[in-house]
Amino acid sequence: MRATVIHAPHDIRVEEVPDPAIRLPTDAVVRVLKACICGSDLWAYRGESARQPGQRIGHEFLGVVEETGAGVDGFTVGDLVVAPFVWSDGTCAYCADGLTTSWPEGGFWGSVGSDGGQGEAVRVPHADGTLVKLPAAAASDDRLLTALLALSDVLGTGHHAALGAGVTKGSTVAVVGDGAVGLCGVLAAKRLGAERVIALGRHTARTDIARRFGATDVVAERGEAALAAVRELTRGEGAHSVIEAVGTEQSMRTALDIVRDGGSIGYVGVPHGSASGVDLGVMFDRNIALRGGVAPVRTYIPELLPDVLDGTIDPSPVFDLSIGLDEVPAGYRAMDGRTALKVLITP
């Protein structure tokens, strides 16, 4: 089959690789219908996170079950399924607590020795604990199928950030980051009942989506000017909740600057760079809470799925460029150059 591999920074290729096969009774093989490129994939693309030459890449996909191991009970051939970006068994103590990303034997698609999501098919370990079944009719609805793909990562990650930030009904929320996760954070905050959602971003195409998702205000300034703008919008106090969806020192400093005393920051931006931007002295003095990390999206899919199916929320606009598998290298260039927000792949 064909799949995307990374050989070196800025060297993404689509190559012939071995077909996935059942190795353990708990495995399934899924034929990919939709996949995408994540902003976090760009850190490997830019050389900021290490990858082995020839390693697979991509961790977001949905598709159809083509084969199951003898130990798989919850799925049959032909089922339409979505996969979270980490596989898990669904029965360990961490999974029981909803922290599916902490199972010691779990893993990420595209890690060494595993299939990546940006290919024609994927071997799924621990299929019963990992995959979530979707209505078969969704396969013939391209817009809905695209919206459902967001459940594999960005929608659940935005939801995780909103929960970490303590978003409640009637609260004021600020979102740092205008990428797909930040925009899904806007959607999640609105879904949880936020009365005011302030999106920080400079790109009109993205802030237009933020408004469509429920943002009541847009702050295009950066640095001290952004802080002043948010303070002005919040009577000088800052936001009750801040979603940090970038992962840089500057973005975290901005989050700390614009959160209200006694407020919370939900951070889900993959950390990169030499410093965190977190000042514990500031957090202590102002009673600021910080919570977040890798989103256990498998836990959130059952909660978010009905709202996607009935149209209550529609994350599909974050996918602004659609390509075939052979065009994936161009898709990486588009996202790296910020001419695309999030690239949809149809193998």
Side-chain angles (χ1 to χ4, degrees):
M1 71 168 193
R2 294 179 304 151
T4 305
V5 297
I6 182 167
H7 286 270
H10 301 283
D11 186 0
I12 293 283
R13 308 177 197 175
V14 178
E15 299 180 340
E16 293 289 329
V17 301
D19 290 338
I22 300 295
R23 298 180 190 172
L24 297 170
T26 52
D27 289 350
V29 173
V30 173
R31 175 171 52 87
V32 177
L33 296 182
K34 297 283 184 185
C36 53
I37 301 172
C38 183
S40 64
D41 292 330
L42 295 180
W43 306 129
Y45 181 73
R46 294 167 179 164
E48 296 185 39
S49 60
R51 294 292 188 276
Q52 294 183 4
Q55 188 173 335
R56 305 286 180 82
I57 195 166
H59 54 262
E60 300 160 279
F61 67 94
L62 57 73
V64 176
V65 175
E66 285 206 327
E67 187 180 0
T68 61
V72 175
D73 298 320
F75 301 94
T76 59
V77 173
D79 283 344
L80 181 67
V81 294
V82 64
F85 62 83
V86 172
W87 67 78
S88 55
D89 73 342
T91 62
C92 73
Y94 287 114
C95 289
D97 288 339
L99 199 59
T100 52
T101 52
S102 286
W103 183 47
E105 296 180 43
F108 293 77
W109 313 114
S111 56
V112 175
S114 73
D115 294 327
Q118 296 164 15
E120 293 182 316
V122 177
R123 181 184 73 90
V124 178
H126 300 279
D128 280 335
T130 301
L131 299 172
V132 177
K133 191 179 298 186
L134 303 173
S140 60
D141 185 335
D142 195 63
R143 196 280 311 161
L144 177 58
L145 204 62
T146 300
L148 291 167
L149 176 61
L151 291 167
S152 65
D153 184 347
V154 290
L155 183 58
T157 298
H159 179 68
H160 187 57
L163 294 179
V167 176
T168 57
K169 188 174 182 179
S171 62
T172 295
V173 182
V175 180
V176 180
D178 61 1
V181 170
L183 294 173
C184 285
V186 171
L187 196 63
K190 200 66 178 180
R191 177 180 175 273
L192 291 172
E195 181 176 335
R196 191 169 203 177
V197 181
I198 304 167
L200 281 70
R202 296 180 298 155
H203 300 84
T204 302
R206 299 183 179 203
T207 55
D208 285 348
I209 296 174
R211 290 190 184 278
R212 181 174 174 180
F213 282 0
T216 54
D217 304 273
V218 169
V219 170
E221 293 84 359
R222 301 185 75 178
E224 291 297 322
L227 168 60
V230 174
R231 293 285 177 178
E232 183 177 353
L233 289 169
T234 57
R235 302 181 303 279
E237 296 180 352
H240 301 102
S241 302
V242 176
I243 289 172
E244 190 286 310
V246 182
T248 64
E249 178 181 1
Q250 180 58 53
S251 62
M252 185 60 79
R253 289 189 185 279
T254 298
L256 284 169
D257 285 342
I258 63 177
V259 70
R260 184 179 187 271
D261 284 17
S264 300
I265 298 170
Y267 71 103
V268 292
V270 178
H272 52 282
S274 59
S276 67
V278 174
D279 187 326
L280 291 179
V282 170
M283 295 180 65
F284 182 87
D285 290 343
R286 297 177 53 208
N287 282 283
I288 296 170
L290 179 66
R291 186 174 179 84
V294 182
V297 298
R298 176 60 182 84
T299 298
Y300 301 139
I301 291 174
E303 176 185 349
L304 298 171
L305 176 58
D307 283 358
V308 176
L309 290 174
D310 68 14
T312 299
I313 54 175
D314 178 13
S316 65
V318 302
F319 298 98
D320 62 341
L321 177 62
S322 182
I323 62 173
L325 187 57
D326 289 334
E327 301 168 285
V328 167
Y332 272 84
R333 291 193 295 272
M335 284 186 62
D336 185 45
R338 296 184 71 85
T339 59
L341 167 60
K342 190 168 181 64
V343 174
L344 177 71
I345 304 166
T346 304

